[in-house]
Amino acid sequence: MTTLLESVAWIHGAADCSDTSDPLIQVHRLDRDTFVLRLSKCYSFEANFLFLLLGRDRALLLDTGARPDAGARDRTLPLRRTVDELLTRWSAERGVPEPDLVVAHTHAHGDHVSGDDQFTGRPRTSVVAPTLPAVTGFFGLTDWPDGEASLDLGGRRVTVLPIPGHEPTHIAVHDSGTRALFTGDTLYPGLLTVRDWPAFRRSAARLADLVRREEVSVVLGAHVEMTRTPGELYPLGTTHQPDEHPLPLTPASVLELHEACEAMAGAPHLDVHDDFVIRPPLPDEPASGTAGGPAQPGT
């Protein structure tokens, strides 16, 4: 699966966003029951990846994307329409009723929740508010930030794991169908911005434990901010990434993140790796962050 995703030609922005034919959302079908949606970099430089997982009874949408950048504020992201079309298409192919929809988030930062209002009032839809009480209550994460919980989509189980550190409500999701591990902004090919170093370090250990005991085929984060040159980031706010790093990482990347965090231990610092860069809090930053913090990659 990693190899298949590495070959996907994702929309990656344009040198001149006023002259591009890219759609606002690109849809890639990962398998029969899983879709990956990428937002255009000419809509938001964050260019989030969203994930739609379908089961017999429920579908899970992970994240709803970013607000438009200044130059795209006259454009409306067709997220609800896109999701509705995918659900209708899937149910027709399967010959089954459309499943209920759960809209959840890897975490509460603005570029992951901005499309929530499109699903307000949608029939048979649960939107999990991006707050810690809502997240722990919906998924049954009673021992936060320890423990884990399961969500049955109907013939497809996902495991939800607390991984705060980048943001206090952050979760990872492991899917029994694809064996993919969705890591949001905690691990992806880019700048891993840490708000709470002790929490982030513990979360990296939890992820490492999960990949050691569960079968993980691929690791999928929410952004791509690196070039194909090892250790090289695109500048903040880039809207054209013609040589971007592939989206998928591997279980070995999770173990590398954990080992790096343990090596830094009580002395965290900017730490550059081939496929990601760890950025702990700067001396003048608070120990932990909340949604709506500084606008930077992966926030």
Side-chain angles (χ1 to χ4, degrees):
M1 185 169 292
T2 301
T3 302
L4 291 173
L5 276 169
E6 284 179 349
S7 65
V8 177
W10 297 109
I11 53 174
H12 52 258
D16 179 3
C17 281
S18 67
D19 184 26
T20 178
S21 59
D22 282 353
L24 292 183
I25 300 176
Q26 176 187 3
V27 177
H28 172 74
R29 193 164 195 170
L30 183 58
D31 66 11
R32 189 180 184 188
D33 304 317
T34 311
F35 296 89
V36 184
L37 287 64
R38 193 193 194 174
L39 274 57
S40 167
K41 287 194 73 69
C42 286
Y43 176 81
S44 167
F45 76 87
E46 300 280 10
N48 301 63
F49 288 87
L50 320 179
F51 303 95
L52 181 64
L53 285 58
L54 294 105
R56 182 180 60 251
D57 303 318
R58 289 192 280 193
L60 173 65
L61 176 65
L62 273 177
D63 292 338
T64 61
R67 295 178 291 269
D69 292 342
R73 287 178 182 163
D74 61 338
R75 308 185 76 181
T76 299
L77 190 71
L79 180 59
R80 162 76 180 272
R81 185 183 74 203
T82 300
V83 170
D84 285 350
E85 290 172 352
L86 292 175
L87 292 177
T88 299
R89 169 186 167 189
W90 180 87
S91 65
E93 290 175 354
R94 287 283 200 175
V96 297
E98 288 188 23
D100 293 349
L101 178 64
V102 175
V103 178
H105 315 88
T106 56
H107 63 290
H109 282 151
D111 59 312
H112 296 259
V113 305
S114 291
D116 282 13
D117 60 352
Q118 294 192 31
F119 297 92
T120 301
R122 185 184 184 278
R124 298 167 52 203
T125 300
S126 301
V127 179
V128 183
T131 66
L132 193 54
V135 171
T136 57
F138 182 84
F139 291 112
L141 293 163
T142 56
D143 297 325
W144 186 281
D146 296 315
E148 59 187 43
S150 292
L151 179 67
D152 185 5
L153 303 181
R156 185 177 193 175
R157 178 183 58 84
V158 298
T159 300
V160 181
L161 185 74
I163 54 168
H166 171 74
E167 192 277 335
T169 69
H170 209 304
I171 59 171
V173 172
H174 179 250
D175 169 39
S176 66
T178 58
R179 302 183 303 282
L181 177 61
F182 301 96
T183 51
D185 282 9
T186 296
L187 179 59
Y188 63 95
L191 186 67
L192 310 182
T193 305
V194 181
R195 296 297 182 214
D196 183 333
W197 174 251
F200 188 88
R201 183 181 169 194
R202 290 191 295 268
S203 293
R206 287 190 202 96
L207 287 172
D209 177 67
L210 185 143
V211 302
R212 291 188 185 107
R213 61 184 168 83
E214 297 282 355
E215 187 175 357
V216 175
S217 62
V218 66
V219 177
L220 300 175
H223 306 273
V224 172
E225 296 166 353
M226 302 197 79
T227 75
R228 289 182 179 268
T229 301
E232 181 179 86
L233 288 162
Y234 278 103
L236 173 66
T238 297
T239 58
H240 188 212
Q241 297 184 173
D243 190 39
E244 68 181 13
H245 191 291
L247 169 65
L249 296 177
T250 67
S253 305
V254 174
L255 299 179
E256 183 179 349
L257 175 66
H258 170 51
E259 290 165 3
C261 291
E262 292 306 298
M264 287 189 280
H269 53 81
L270 188 71
D271 191 26
V272 179
H273 294 251
D274 286 355
D275 301 311
F276 55 84
V277 177
I278 305 171
R279 180 193 178 275
L282 299 176
D284 58 347
E285 289 180 338
S288 61
T290 58
Q296 55 188 341
T299 58

